[in-house]
Amino acid sequence: MTTPAEPAWWRDAVVYQIYPRSFQDSDGNGLGDLDGAISRLDHLAWLGVDALWLSPIYPSPGADLGYDVTDHTAVAPELGTLEDLDRLVSEAGARGIRVLLDLIPSHTSIEHPWFREHPDWYVSADEGPPNNWVASFGGPAWSRDVRTGRWYLHSFFPEQPDLDWHVPEVREAFADVIRFWLDRGVDGFRVDAVERLVKDLELRDDPPASEPFPLPLPREYARVEHRHSVDAGDVASALSALRRAAGEAALIGEVYLPTARLHRYLEHLDLAFAFEFLHAPPEATGLAVAISAASAVDGIAWVLGNHDFPRPASRFGETLAPAAALILLTLPGAAFIYQGDEIGMRDGPGGRPPIDRAGRDPFRHPMQWDASPTGGFTSGHAWLPPIDPKQRNVADQRDRQGSILRLHRELIALRRELGPGIEAIEASEEVLAYRRGAHLIAANLGTRSRPAPDQGEVLLTTSPARHRRGLLGAGEGTVGAIA
Ligand code: NOJ
């Protein structure tokens, strides 16, 4: 999609993920909104990110908190209006920040008018269930529509019927959606659940799993091998329909597949997330394996956190979280930061009772802007309780030398200097090290100090207060300039 002379903006971009309902509330109803997000754009500009990705902003009954859409070309009233979105795009643009929306083409809400008006746009069967497919969040992937008696497929919750991308009208409808938003000035889309877009036309049974899937899956879902229900059939023609509509706009695929299976998606999409990296064990060897596999793929979007998975600060722990950020932001290619990870937010307790039926509340607690009881997120009662704004917040960390927030900002500035490509470097046990042109990056993911590889002048360290030349403290990461 690009010429070598003119690299596309997204190739090395840092993209900040905003989960709108948890980012900033502007009207005191306890739910984040677009006006709130606009009021916090200066934070993104201060960090130095290139783009923001807004998780779904569309009207939704909320069975999957926005990922069950009833209108793909409107803004959910609780989040704002189309005019607010226009303002967000222009205010972001004024700060040099591009805007990506979430596009959800593989399913709609069961309350989307299409489900009644165009039942043939959905994967369905007269008799059922027609096969043994399992839904991602557990239970059969087929439900009977009480109004028509027909069986419909839902890869996720029963409230999210799957569209049939073999139907030309579905492709045309999404081409219209894409053009609608591009005309309003957005720069591209993060495309949801792309590996589900196309399924086996014959609806064959999935066989039992004979070996573990390389990425974490819910237990019931992991019992079968998703040979026919996922990543099956003519993905190329569905993806090329998306590409035709998007033209040069960025398409970033959420393709929940191992790295080795991303290629056919990247023939049409610009980037795909590195989920094996996100799920790699928080130690040097596991990370090195994931990095080596993903960096061989052209079009990798590095990511350590999002609204679906435990936060990096919880997985890596307080000591290693800065080193994890250093790795994320010094790998070659695009990097995605989930809101709150830049201040080292950890997983919270979730809602009581839980709000998300798939158990993802802990990763969606409100952003912590200041030390006040609501963390500056709302003047009302937050939809999910704040976790620990007193201990961890933007205002405090902005002023504090050595904070993980300032580290993010320094890394975002420094990464522009790093040379192309990546070369793994032999280093001591528990140390991950690689070269990017004239720079050498090293991170000690263990619990003891280790000798540092020869790095030349150390330009940045995660531990300015206790850095010692030639050594990497436990959890310390550094970027050095080789003479
Ligand atoms: C992936 C999204 O990130 C997740 O939050 C959602 O539940 C599923 N796709 C279904 O849309």
Side-chain angles (χ1 to χ4, degrees), residues 319 428-431 443-452 463 466-476:
T319 316
S428 7
E429 210 186 324
E430 299 185 304
V431 171
N444 177 357
L445 294 146
T447 50
R448 299 172 32 197
S449 288
R450 299 280 178 189
S463 319
R466 55 187 177 91
H467 176 70
R468 283 173 52 203
R469 223 182 125 69
L471 266 190
L472 283 168
E476 182 176 8

Coordinates of all heavy atoms in Angstrom, one line a residue, residues 319 428-431 443-452 463 466-476:
T319 N 8.4 -4.3 39.6 CA 9.8 -4.1 39.3 C 10.1 -4.2 37.8 O 11.0 -3.5 37.3 CB 10.6 -5.2 40.0 OG1 10.1 -5.3 41.4 CG2 12.1 -4.9 40.1
S428 N 23.9 -12.0 29.3 CA 23.8 -12.9 30.4 C 22.4 -13.4 30.6 O 21.4 -12.9 30.1 CB 24.3 -12.2 31.7 OG 24.5 -10.8 31.5
E429 N 22.4 -14.4 31.5 CA 21.1 -15.1 31.8 C 20.1 -14.0 32.3 O 20.4 -13.1 33.0 CB 21.4 -16.1 32.9 CG 20.5 -17.3 32.9 CD 20.7 -18.1 34.2 OE1 21.9 -18.1 34.6 OE2 19.8 -18.6 34.8
E430 N 18.9 -14.2 31.9 CA 17.7 -13.3 32.2 C 17.8 -11.9 31.6 O 17.0 -11.1 32.0 CB 17.6 -13.2 33.8 CG 17.3 -14.6 34.4 CD 17.1 -14.6 35.9 OE1 17.9 -14.0 36.6 OE2 16.0 -15.1 36.3
V431 N 18.8 -11.7 30.8 CA 18.9 -10.4 30.1 C 18.5 -10.6 28.7 O 18.9 -11.5 28.0 CB 20.3 -9.8 30.2 CG1 20.5 -8.6 29.3 CG2 20.7 -9.5 31.6
A443 N 17.6 -5.4 28.7 CA 16.7 -5.4 29.8 C 16.9 -6.7 30.7 O 17.0 -7.8 30.2 CB 15.2 -5.4 29.4
N444 N 17.1 -6.4 32.0 CA 17.3 -7.5 32.9 C 15.9 -7.9 33.5 O 15.4 -7.1 34.3 CB 18.3 -7.0 34.0 CG 18.5 -8.1 35.1 OD1 17.9 -9.2 35.1 ND2 19.4 -7.8 36.0
L445 N 15.4 -9.0 33.1 CA 14.1 -9.4 33.6 C 14.2 -10.4 34.8 O 13.2 -11.0 35.1 CB 13.3 -10.1 32.4 CG 13.1 -9.0 31.3 CD1 13.1 -9.6 30.0 CD2 11.8 -8.3 31.6
G446 N 15.3 -10.4 35.4 CA 15.5 -11.3 36.6 C 15.5 -10.6 37.9 O 15.1 -9.4 37.9
T447 N 15.9 -11.2 38.9 CA 15.8 -10.7 40.3 C 17.1 -10.3 40.8 O 17.2 -9.9 42.0 CB 15.1 -11.6 41.2 OG1 15.7 -12.9 41.1 CG2 13.6 -11.8 40.9
R448 N 18.2 -10.5 40.0 CA 19.6 -10.2 40.5 C 20.3 -9.3 39.5 O 19.9 -9.4 38.3 CB 20.4 -11.4 40.7 CG 19.8 -12.4 41.7 CD 20.5 -13.7 41.7 NE 21.9 -13.6 41.4 CZ 22.6 -14.7 41.0 NH1 22.1 -15.9 40.9 NH2 23.9 -14.6 40.7
S449 N 21.2 -8.5 39.9 CA 22.0 -7.7 39.0 C 22.8 -8.6 38.1 O 23.2 -9.7 38.5 CB 23.0 -6.8 39.8 OG 22.3 -5.8 40.4
R450 N 23.0 -8.1 36.9 CA 23.7 -8.9 35.8 C 24.6 -8.0 35.1 O 24.3 -6.8 35.0 CB 22.7 -9.5 34.8 CG 21.7 -10.5 35.4 CD 22.3 -11.8 35.6 NE 21.3 -12.7 36.2 CZ 21.6 -13.9 36.7 NH1 22.9 -14.3 36.6 NH2 20.7 -14.7 37.2
P451 N 25.7 -8.6 34.6 CA 26.6 -7.7 33.7 C 25.8 -7.2 32.5 O 25.0 -8.0 31.9 CB 27.7 -8.7 33.3 CG 27.5 -9.9 34.1 CD 26.2 -9.9 34.7
A452 N 26.0 -6.0 32.2 CA 25.4 -5.4 31.0 C 26.2 -5.7 29.8 O 27.4 -5.7 29.8 CB 25.2 -3.9 31.2
S463 N 16.1 3.0 35.5 CA 16.4 3.1 37.0 C 17.4 4.2 37.2 O 18.5 3.9 37.6 CB 16.9 1.8 37.6 OG 16.2 0.7 37.1
R466 N 19.5 4.3 40.5 CA 20.4 3.3 41.0 C 21.3 2.7 39.8 O 21.8 1.6 40.0 CB 19.7 2.2 41.8 CG 18.6 1.6 41.0 CD 17.8 0.6 41.9 NE 16.6 0.1 41.2 CZ 16.6 -1.0 40.5 NH1 17.7 -1.7 40.4 NH2 15.6 -1.4 39.8
H467 N 21.3 3.4 38.7 CA 22.1 2.9 37.6 C 23.6 2.8 37.9 O 24.1 3.7 38.4 CB 21.8 3.7 36.3 CG 22.7 3.3 35.2 ND1 22.4 2.1 34.5 CD2 23.8 3.9 34.6 CE1 23.3 2.0 33.5 NE2 24.1 3.0 33.6
R468 N 24.2 1.6 37.5 CA 25.6 1.5 37.7 C 26.2 1.1 36.4 O 25.7 0.1 35.8 CB 26.0 0.5 38.8 CG 25.7 1.2 40.2 CD 25.9 0.2 41.3 NE 27.1 -0.5 41.3 CZ 27.3 -1.7 41.9 NH1 26.3 -2.3 42.5 NH2 28.4 -2.4 41.8
R469 N 27.2 1.7 36.0 CA 27.9 1.5 34.7 C 28.3 0.0 34.6 O 28.8 -0.6 35.6 CB 29.2 2.3 34.6 CG 29.3 2.9 33.2 CD 30.6 3.7 33.2 NE 31.4 3.2 32.0 CZ 31.1 3.4 30.8 NH1 30.0 4.1 30.4 NH2 31.8 3.0 29.8
G470 N 28.0 -0.6 33.5 CA 28.4 -2.0 33.3 C 27.5 -3.1 33.9 O 27.7 -4.3 33.7
L471 N 26.6 -2.6 34.7 CA 25.7 -3.5 35.3 C 24.2 -3.2 35.0 O 23.9 -2.1 34.7 CB 25.8 -3.4 36.9 CG 26.8 -4.3 37.6 CD1 26.5 -4.1 39.1 CD2 26.6 -5.8 37.3
L472 N 23.4 -4.3 35.0 CA 22.0 -4.1 34.9 C 21.3 -4.5 36.2 O 21.4 -5.7 36.5 CB 21.4 -4.9 33.7 CG 21.6 -4.4 32.3 CD1 21.3 -5.4 31.3 CD2 20.8 -3.1 32.0
G473 N 20.7 -3.6 36.9 CA 20.1 -4.0 38.2 C 18.9 -4.9 37.8 O 18.4 -4.9 36.7
A474 N 18.3 -5.5 38.9 CA 17.1 -6.4 38.6 C 16.0 -5.5 38.1 O 15.7 -4.4 38.7 CB 16.7 -7.0 40.0
G475 N 15.5 -5.9 37.0 CA 14.4 -5.1 36.4 C 14.8 -3.9 35.6 O 14.0 -3.2 35.0
E476 N 16.1 -3.6 35.5 CA 16.6 -2.4 34.8 C 16.7 -2.7 33.3 O 17.1 -3.7 32.8 CB 18.0 -2.0 35.3 CG 18.4 -0.7 34.6 CD 19.8 -0.2 35.1 OE1 20.4 -0.9 36.0 OE2 20.2 0.9 34.7

